[in-house]
Amino acid sequence: DGGITQSPKYLFRKEGQNVTLSCEQNLNHDAMYWYRQDPGQGLRLIYYSQIVNDFQKGDIAEGYSVSREKKESFPLTVTSAQKNPTAFYLCASSQGASRNQPQHFGDGTRLSIL
Amino acid sequence: SQQGEEDPQALSIQEGENATMNCSYKTSINNLQWYRQNSGRGLVHLILIRSNEREKHSGRLRVTLDTSKKSSSLLITASRAADTASYFCATGSGGSGGSNYKLTFGKGTLLTVNP
Protein backbone atom coordinates (compact mmCIF):
# COMPACT_ATOMS: atom_id res chain seq x y z
CA ASP A 1 0.00 0.00 0.00
CA GLY A 2 1.22 3.49 -0.80
CA GLY A 3 1.67 5.92 2.00
CA ILE A 4 3.92 7.94 4.26
CA THR A 5 5.91 6.38 7.07
CA GLN A 6 7.23 8.43 9.95
CA SER A 7 9.61 7.07 12.54
CA PRO A 8 10.04 6.83 15.39
CA LYS A 9 6.55 7.26 16.81
CA TYR A 10 7.97 8.65 20.07
CA LEU A 11 11.31 10.41 20.54
CA PHE A 12 13.03 11.93 23.53
CA ARG A 13 15.69 14.59 23.32
CA LYS A 14 18.29 15.51 25.88
CA GLU A 15 19.54 19.05 26.40
CA GLY A 16 22.01 20.10 23.70
CA GLN A 17 21.23 17.13 21.51
CA ASN A 18 20.21 17.10 17.86
CA VAL A 19 17.60 14.53 16.86
CA THR A 20 16.44 13.45 13.42
CA LEU A 21 12.90 12.48 12.48
CA SER A 22 12.45 10.20 9.52
CA CYS A 23 9.84 10.57 6.78
CA GLU A 24 9.59 8.19 3.82
CA GLN A 25 6.92 8.10 1.09
CA ASN A 26 6.22 5.63 -1.70
CA LEU A 27 3.55 7.69 -3.41
CA ASN A 28 5.97 9.07 -6.02
CA HIS A 29 5.07 12.59 -4.88
CA ASP A 30 7.35 15.47 -5.76
CA ALA A 31 6.47 17.75 -2.84
CA MET A 32 7.04 17.01 0.83
CA TYR A 33 6.36 19.03 3.96
CA TRP A 34 7.09 19.13 7.68
CA TYR A 35 4.58 20.57 10.14
CA ARG A 36 4.61 21.12 13.86
CA GLN A 37 1.42 20.74 15.91
CA ASP A 38 1.12 21.97 19.48
CA PRO A 39 -1.78 20.91 21.76
CA GLY A 40 -5.07 22.43 20.70
CA GLN A 41 -3.42 24.17 17.77
CA GLY A 42 -3.41 23.87 14.05
CA LEU A 43 -0.41 22.89 11.97
CA ARG A 44 2.48 25.25 11.36
CA LEU A 45 4.79 24.74 8.41
CA ILE A 46 8.46 24.20 9.21
CA TYR A 47 10.03 23.36 5.84
CA TYR A 48 8.85 22.16 2.47
CA SER A 49 10.47 20.70 -0.63
CA GLN A 50 9.07 20.88 -4.13
CA ILE A 51 11.72 18.70 -5.74
CA VAL A 52 14.81 16.69 -4.91
CA ASN A 53 17.80 18.75 -3.72
CA ASP A 54 15.63 21.80 -3.12
CA PHE A 55 13.74 23.00 -0.05
CA GLN A 56 12.36 26.23 1.40
CA LYS A 57 11.77 27.56 4.88
CA GLY A 58 8.23 27.63 6.14
CA ASP A 59 6.81 29.84 8.86
CA ILE A 60 8.80 28.44 11.80
CA ALA A 61 12.11 27.12 10.39
CA GLU A 62 14.42 28.44 13.13
CA GLY A 63 16.07 25.60 15.04
CA TYR A 64 15.28 23.00 12.36
CA SER A 65 17.08 21.67 9.31
CA VAL A 66 16.12 19.33 6.46
CA SER A 67 17.59 17.56 3.47
CA ARG A 68 16.05 16.15 0.30
CA GLU A 69 18.62 13.88 -1.30
CA LYS A 70 16.06 11.35 -2.51
CA LYS A 71 12.52 11.79 -3.78
CA GLU A 72 11.22 9.32 -1.22
CA SER A 73 12.86 10.80 1.86
CA PHE A 74 12.65 14.12 3.71
CA PRO A 75 14.27 13.88 7.16
CA LEU A 76 13.89 16.66 9.72
CA THR A 77 16.60 17.47 12.26
CA VAL A 78 15.58 19.27 15.42
CA THR A 79 18.72 21.04 16.54
CA SER A 80 19.76 22.19 20.00
CA ALA A 81 18.95 25.72 18.85
CA GLN A 82 15.24 24.84 19.00
CA LYS A 83 14.52 25.74 22.62
CA ASN A 84 10.95 24.48 22.74
CA PRO A 85 10.92 21.30 20.64
CA THR A 86 8.20 19.42 22.51
CA ALA A 87 5.43 18.92 19.94
CA PHE A 88 3.80 16.51 17.51
CA TYR A 89 5.60 16.53 14.15
CA LEU A 90 3.77 15.63 10.98
CA CYS A 91 5.21 14.91 7.55
CA ALA A 92 3.11 15.19 4.40
CA SER A 93 3.46 14.87 0.66
CA SER A 94 1.56 15.94 -2.43
CA GLN A 95 1.86 15.73 -6.18
CA GLY A 96 3.92 18.85 -6.79
CA ALA A 97 3.87 21.42 -9.55
CA SER A 98 0.12 21.36 -9.89
CA ARG A 99 -2.67 23.24 -8.19
CA ASN A 100 -5.40 21.86 -6.05
CA GLN A 101 -3.73 18.73 -4.76
CA PRO A 102 -4.50 17.29 -1.34
CA GLN A 103 -1.72 16.48 1.08
CA HIS A 104 -1.18 12.98 2.44
CA PHE A 105 0.05 12.71 6.00
CA GLY A 106 2.05 10.27 8.05
CA ASP A 107 1.02 9.33 11.58
CA GLY A 108 3.46 11.68 13.23
CA THR A 109 6.34 11.65 15.69
CA ARG A 110 5.82 12.91 19.22
CA LEU A 111 8.99 14.59 20.51
CA SER A 112 9.55 15.27 24.18
CA ILE A 113 12.39 16.68 26.27
CA LEU A 114 14.10 14.50 28.87
CA SER B 1 0.34 32.72 10.17
CA GLN B 2 -2.91 30.78 10.54
CA GLN B 3 -5.43 32.06 8.06
CA GLY B 4 -8.31 29.66 8.56
CA GLU B 5 -10.33 29.98 11.73
CA GLU B 6 -12.82 27.24 12.56
CA ASP B 7 -15.98 27.76 14.53
CA PRO B 8 -16.99 26.37 16.93
CA GLN B 9 -13.84 25.20 18.72
CA ALA B 10 -15.75 22.20 20.08
CA LEU B 11 -19.04 20.57 19.17
CA SER B 12 -20.84 17.74 20.95
CA ILE B 13 -23.84 16.02 19.34
CA GLN B 14 -25.80 12.79 19.48
CA GLU B 15 -25.42 10.02 16.96
CA GLY B 16 -27.72 10.56 13.99
CA GLU B 17 -27.67 14.35 14.24
CA ASN B 18 -26.01 16.61 11.71
CA ALA B 19 -22.80 18.48 12.52
CA THR B 20 -21.89 21.81 10.96
CA MET B 21 -18.47 23.41 11.23
CA ASN B 22 -17.49 26.77 9.82
CA CYS B 23 -14.23 28.21 8.58
CA SER B 24 -13.35 31.83 7.87
CA TYR B 25 -10.25 33.11 6.13
CA LYS B 26 -8.71 36.44 5.28
CA THR B 27 -6.95 36.49 1.91
CA SER B 28 -7.68 35.21 -1.57
CA ILE B 29 -7.35 31.48 -2.10
CA ASN B 30 -6.99 28.89 -4.85
CA ASN B 31 -8.87 26.25 -2.92
CA LEU B 32 -10.04 25.30 0.52
CA GLN B 33 -9.57 21.83 1.94
CA TRP B 34 -11.02 20.00 4.93
CA TYR B 35 -9.05 17.43 6.88
CA ARG B 36 -9.87 15.12 9.75
CA GLN B 37 -7.54 14.07 12.56
CA ASN B 38 -8.20 11.28 14.99
CA SER B 39 -6.47 11.66 18.34
CA GLY B 40 -2.73 11.02 18.09
CA ARG B 41 -2.84 10.33 14.35
CA GLY B 42 -2.02 12.16 11.15
CA LEU B 43 -4.49 14.18 9.12
CA VAL B 44 -6.71 12.60 6.50
CA HIS B 45 -7.90 14.60 3.53
CA LEU B 46 -11.68 14.77 3.26
CA ILE B 47 -12.61 17.14 0.48
CA LEU B 48 -11.21 19.98 -1.63
CA ILE B 49 -13.30 22.79 -3.05
CA ARG B 50 -11.87 25.15 -5.63
CA SER B 51 -12.33 28.91 -5.45
CA ASN B 52 -14.71 28.83 -8.43
CA GLU B 53 -16.95 26.18 -6.86
CA ARG B 54 -19.77 26.89 -4.42
CA GLU B 55 -20.73 23.45 -3.15
CA LYS B 56 -19.31 19.96 -3.15
CA HIS B 57 -20.51 16.62 -1.83
CA SER B 58 -18.72 13.45 -0.84
CA GLY B 59 -20.80 10.73 0.81
CA ARG B 60 -22.19 12.21 4.04
CA LEU B 61 -20.07 15.34 3.67
CA ARG B 62 -21.22 18.59 2.15
CA VAL B 63 -18.92 21.57 1.80
CA THR B 64 -19.91 25.07 0.79
CA LEU B 65 -17.66 27.98 -0.11
CA ASP B 66 -18.61 31.65 -0.18
CA THR B 67 -15.64 33.62 -1.49
CA SER B 68 -17.45 36.94 -1.07
CA LYS B 69 -17.69 36.27 2.67
CA LYS B 70 -14.40 34.38 2.78
CA SER B 71 -16.05 31.48 4.55
CA SER B 72 -16.73 27.78 4.18
CA SER B 73 -18.81 25.24 6.02
CA LEU B 74 -18.53 21.49 6.44
CA LEU B 75 -21.73 19.55 7.09
CA ILE B 76 -21.61 15.94 8.24
CA THR B 77 -25.04 14.34 7.98
CA ALA B 78 -26.34 11.43 10.07
CA SER B 79 -23.26 11.49 12.29
CA ARG B 80 -21.78 8.35 13.82
CA ALA B 81 -19.63 7.80 16.89
CA ALA B 82 -16.76 7.01 14.50
CA ASP B 83 -16.93 10.61 13.21
CA THR B 84 -15.49 11.79 16.54
CA ALA B 85 -12.30 13.65 15.59
CA SER B 86 -10.82 17.10 15.05
CA TYR B 87 -11.68 18.76 11.77
CA PHE B 88 -9.39 21.33 10.16
CA CYS B 89 -9.87 23.66 7.26
CA ALA B 90 -6.83 24.60 5.22
CA THR B 91 -6.53 27.31 2.62
CA GLY B 92 -4.34 26.74 -0.40
CA SER B 93 -2.67 29.67 -2.04
CA GLY B 94 -0.43 29.44 -5.05
CA GLY B 95 3.32 29.83 -4.85
CA SER B 96 5.64 30.45 -7.76
CA GLY B 97 4.58 28.59 -10.87
CA GLY B 98 1.01 28.44 -9.64
CA SER B 99 1.44 25.49 -7.31
CA ASN B 100 -0.27 25.34 -3.95
CA TYR B 101 2.86 24.35 -2.16
CA LYS B 102 1.63 25.86 1.04
CA LEU B 103 -1.51 25.13 2.97
CA THR B 104 -2.44 27.27 5.94
CA PHE B 105 -4.35 25.40 8.62
CA GLY B 106 -6.82 26.62 11.20
CA LYS B 107 -6.88 25.44 14.81
CA GLY B 108 -9.65 22.95 14.22
CA THR B 109 -13.04 21.97 15.58
CA LEU B 110 -13.19 19.04 18.00
CA LEU B 111 -16.31 17.06 17.19
CA THR B 112 -17.64 14.55 19.70
CA VAL B 113 -20.47 12.26 18.58
CA ASN B 114 -22.12 10.55 21.53
CA PRO B 115 -23.62 7.09 20.96
Side-chain angles (χ1 to χ4, degrees), chain B:
Chain B
S1 60
Q2 291 180 315
Q3 171 165 231
E5 291 287 339
E6 290 92 343
D7 171 59
Q9 289 186 319
L11 179 62
S12 181
I13 60 174
Q14 296 299 122
E15 217 167 18
E17 294 180 340
N18 295 342
T20 299
M21 288 159 271
N22 302 297
C23 172
S24 60
Y25 59 92
K26 296 176 183 174
T27 63
S28 62
I29 61 173
N30 294 334
N31 63 71
L32 188 143
Q33 304 181 28
W34 285 91
Y35 288 81
R36 165 197 170 123
Q37 183 180 35
N38 286 69
S39 181
R41 303 293 299 273
L43 277 69
V44 175
H45 180 260
L46 295 176
I47 199 164
L48 181 153
I49 186 165
R50 301 183 186 207
S51 59
N52 61 354
E53 297 176 311
R54 292 297 167 258
E55 188 170 312
K56 204 160 183 180
H57 297 253
S58 177
R60 294 185 295 113
L61 305 181
R62 173 181 167 241
V63 169
T64 61
L65 178 64
D66 187 335
T67 53
S68 66
K69 295 181 179 178
K70 292 186 170 57
S71 67
S72 172
S73 68
L74 169 67
L75 169 67
I76 303 174
T77 60
S79 63
R80 307 165 181 167
D83 293 330
T84 294
S86 292
Y87 292 82
F88 294 89
C89 70
T91 51
S93 51
S96 59
S99 303
N100 63 329
Y101 295 111
K102 291 181 66 175
L103 284 180
T104 305
F105 288 83
K107 295 182 179 180
T109 292
L110 176 59
L111 173 66
T112 302
V113 182
N114 302 298

Side-chain angles (χ1 to χ4, degrees), chain A residues 56-68:
Chain A
Q56 286 82 39
K57 293 182 179 180
D59 299 320
I60 55 165
E62 186 174 350
Y64 301 96
S65 66
V66 293
S67 63
R68 186 85 187 277

Side-chain angles (χ1 to χ4, degrees), chain A residues 12-50:
Chain A
F12 297 91
R13 195 191 88 170
K14 296 179 181 179
E15 290 289 336
Q17 184 183 42
N18 294 352
V19 292
T20 298
L21 284 61
S22 170
C23 177
E24 303 278 331
Q25 55 102 356
N26 61 3
L27 299 166
N28 200 33
H29 284 170
D30 288 315
M32 297 187 74
Y33 314 81
W34 273 106
Y35 293 94
R36 170 182 172 137
Q37 185 178 31
D38 292 282
Q41 300 294 314
L43 278 63
R44 291 185 289 168
L45 183 64
I46 305 172
Y47 268 98
Y48 63 104
S49 168
Q50 301 171 8

